[in-house]
Amino acid sequence: MADTLPSEFDVIVIGTGLPESIIAAACSRSGRRVLHVDSRSYYGGNWASFSFSGLLSWLKEHQENSDIENDSPVWQDQILENEEAIALSRKDKTIQHVEVFCYASQDLHEDVEEAGALQKNHALVTSANSTEAADSSFLPMEDESLSTMNCEMLTEQTPSSDPENALEVNGAEVTGEKENHCDDKTCVPSTSAKDVSENVPIAEDTTEQPKKNRITYSQIIKEGRRFNIDLVSKLLYSRGLLIDLLIKSNVSRYAEFKNITRILAFREGRVEQVPCSRADVFNSKQLTMVEKRMLMKFLTFCMEYEKYPDEYKGYEDITFYEYLKTQKLTPNLQYIVLHSIAMTSETASSTIDGLKATRNFLHCLGRYGNTPFLFPLYGQGELPQCFCRMCAVFGGIYCLRHSVQCLVVDKESRKCKAIIDQFGQRIISEHFLVEDSYFSENMCSRVQYRQISRAVLITDRSVLKTDSDQQISILTVPAEEPGMFAVRVIELCSSTMTCMKGTYLVHLTCTSSKTAREDLEPVVQKLFIPYTEMEIENEQVEKPRILWALYFNMRDSSDISRSCYKDLPSNVYVCSGPDCGLGNDNAVKQFMSQELPLLMLRSVVK
């Protein structure tokens, strides 16, 4: 119960996203008393991952949240004469323009349901024959309790003897399903007592599914716990800041990872694989021998470009795309370097930024596999939970479904001195970290937010079919029109523990210029087709078929100066939500930010 909470802490963290969780773990490990609260019923905020039924619950919760009215504050009586209150928002306005489509057969006669899932409701989705997108007002409204996503504890493992590479990269599928549990009000991660066999890697049955296999919506519901659907789509650079932090802090023992198996390119209406390593380049049939030598020479230069300033001096003020035109590279090689290695667009990066991105890509090659990227099993949402677990191990206290009504500020010092929670309890602290979405419109009135366009697709096959059906791919689709942005596509197979066998989970991401559907649907139409009964019989269909689709816009609150927040107390520190970048460096940089006091700057490593 809330009245059992201590009345004083060293640090209070509001929000369980990745930046907040990293900082909470650091503070707890350095011996500080940490209270970590979240008004949501799950860990991770906009960094979370959901099962299929959990995602439906999230959609329902999002609709109900939009109907919340801020009641007159009942905590005003607790504010003293020398104090003032900064009210926090009860509404989460970070998600907008939610549209859901179901193309899989909706067989009403199949009485199949995932344990704990919402009842199947056709109001939730727009069918393949409908021309109008499902509005959030059409989401299911059953009075069913939401399943809580909490940080499930894995059995502790002995750290690797090699601290520099002590990261478990899994090459086989792990059987078993994760159970998510949490107490009604106060949640402290604890080791799960699940069957040991769930942690034993077992070779996956890679038997190819029959070509005419019919996947229904009922099947997706039935296998819903096989899905772990990320709200934000990211990968980990194998030598990035987050990987280094995971290893040095020993948090990596709480998670497993898989290597991204291939990098793809989209050219002239076709998807093709891009050679990454030296061996791939020389074995590639897409490049001529002359092109192979050109490419290797240029990539060798990029690895140590700072040693040869004359090679790029005078080009700093032009785009990386224009710079590539000045090099001895064919148009084919320019395209590969720009979109599949530097992973930028014609107008997005300067010459220096492009060279840095190319060097970073090459620097990460070979550490854990044939590509620079890793993906966490069970989804991106595992990462905040791993750091929450470390915080809890060192004494941090966790409360989900626990909202904070206001921050209490001393009028004279202009410092925050306490919070008042939903039960009216005043909790004192020295430092406060607040995720951006908790601030009211008044406090954020000067903030100019960007938006991220997101789409999540469940498909029946890969965008590039090969002998193996267990491929994890990343593809960048260039923008076709000025003012638009390149779209990043990440395709996950069932061995990542994010989707059921026989399906793929596809994430599309770009910086928003319109609604998510308007931004991303043109790319979806290039790569996929809707799933219809007629096409099941057509074995000549080459494109993957969409079984289910979700579009939404997410707020990008990264890189906002604290001066933009109105009347922000000096000891209240703001953590942003996910940015649009591929990696997680922005989250780690918030932990390392010089704006934080020495307390927060202490490494989680002793």
Side-chain angles (χ1 to χ4, degrees), residues 100 116 129 138-139 165 215-216 229 250 278 307 359 385 525 558 605:
V100 186
N129 296 324
F138 294 104
L139 300 179
N165 293 281
I215 301 175
T216 65
I229 302 171
N250 218 13
R278 180 186 295 269
K307 293 182 178 180
R359 181 179 63 180
Q385 295 185 45
Q525 291 173 347
S558 62
V605 184

Side-chain angles (χ1 to χ4, degrees), residues 11-22:
V11 182
I12 294 177
V13 183
I14 305 175
T16 53
L18 184 57
E20 303 96 271
S21 300
I22 292 174

Side-chain angles (χ1 to χ4, degrees), residues 291-534:
E291 284 182 318
K292 292 175 182 179
R293 290 171 180 164
M294 286 180 178
L295 181 59
M296 289 306 303
K297 183 178 180 180
F298 181 75
L299 296 182
T300 300
F301 156 70
C302 289
M303 279 294 292
E304 300 180 327
Y305 75 91
E306 290 176 329
K307 293 182 178 180
Y308 308 100
D310 292 342
E311 294 291 328
Y312 60 87
K313 191 174 182 181
Y315 299 105
E316 295 97 327
D317 296 331
I318 64 174
T319 64
F320 187 52
Y321 173 65
E322 293 295 331
Y323 173 73
L324 291 176
K325 289 182 177 180
T326 68
Q327 304 302 298
K328 295 180 179 179
L329 298 173
T330 64
N332 183 34
L333 295 181
Q334 293 173 26
Y335 188 95
I336 290 174
V337 172
L338 185 69
H339 296 293
S340 299
I341 296 180
M343 294 190 176
T344 184
S345 64
E346 284 82 353
T347 59
S349 297
S350 66
T351 297
I352 300 300
D353 290 339
L355 290 172
K356 286 180 179 178
T358 303
R359 181 179 63 180
N360 186 46
F361 180 99
L362 298 172
H363 182 62
C364 294
L365 278 175
R367 187 178 191 186
Y368 296 114
N370 205 32
T371 70
F373 306 111
L374 295 175
F375 181 80
L377 289 184
Y378 301 102
Q380 174 78 24
E382 288 294 290
L383 299 178
Q385 295 185 45
C386 289
F387 286 99
C388 288
R389 182 186 312 179
M390 166 168 275
C391 180
V393 165
F394 286 91
I397 295 178
Y398 278 81
C399 298
L400 296 184
R401 302 196 196 99
H402 196 105
S403 61
V404 175
Q405 300 295 317
C406 69
L407 305 176
V408 181
V409 180
D410 182 79
K411 287 183 177 179
E412 184 177 349
S413 66
R414 299 306 304 167
K415 285 191 173 183
C416 186
K417 57 195 295 188
I419 63 169
I420 298 177
D421 69 7
Q422 64 193 43
F423 301 105
Q425 181 180 2
R426 176 186 283 239
I427 305 174
I428 300 171
S429 181
E430 184 180 354
H431 299 283
F432 302 81
L433 282 97
V434 184
E435 200 267 321
D436 170 90
S437 66
Y438 284 87
F439 287 126
S440 65
E441 289 185 359
N442 179 56
M443 178 164 275
C444 300
S445 58
R446 297 197 298 252
V447 178
Q448 296 293 321
Y449 291 112
R450 298 181 298 274
Q451 295 289 324
I452 303 169
S453 290
R454 290 278 291 114
V456 180
L457 313 178
I458 300 174
T459 66
D460 67 343
R461 68 181 73 172
S462 175
V463 291
L464 183 61
K465 192 173 181 181
T466 60
D467 294 337
S468 171
D469 63 353
Q470 295 302 307
Q471 297 283 356
I472 312 172
S473 312
I474 178 171
L475 165 67
T476 302
V477 180
E480 284 192 345
E481 302 176 7
M484 300 294 287
F485 297 91
V487 175
R488 182 174 70 246
V489 182
I490 296 177
E491 183 185 69
L492 306 173
C493 61
S494 61
S495 66
T496 62
M497 315 306 288
T498 59
C499 58
M500 59 183 266
K501 290 182 181 179
T503 64
Y504 288 82
L505 189 64
V506 183
H507 292 275
L508 294 89
T509 308
C510 74
T511 301
S512 299
S513 55
K514 304 175 184 176
T515 68
R517 184 183 171 197
E518 290 173 320
D519 284 338
L520 299 175
E521 196 170 51
V523 174
V524 171
Q525 291 173 347
K526 290 178 183 179
L527 298 174
F528 309 96
I529 58 173
Y531 187 96
T532 65
E533 291 293 330
M534 184 178 300

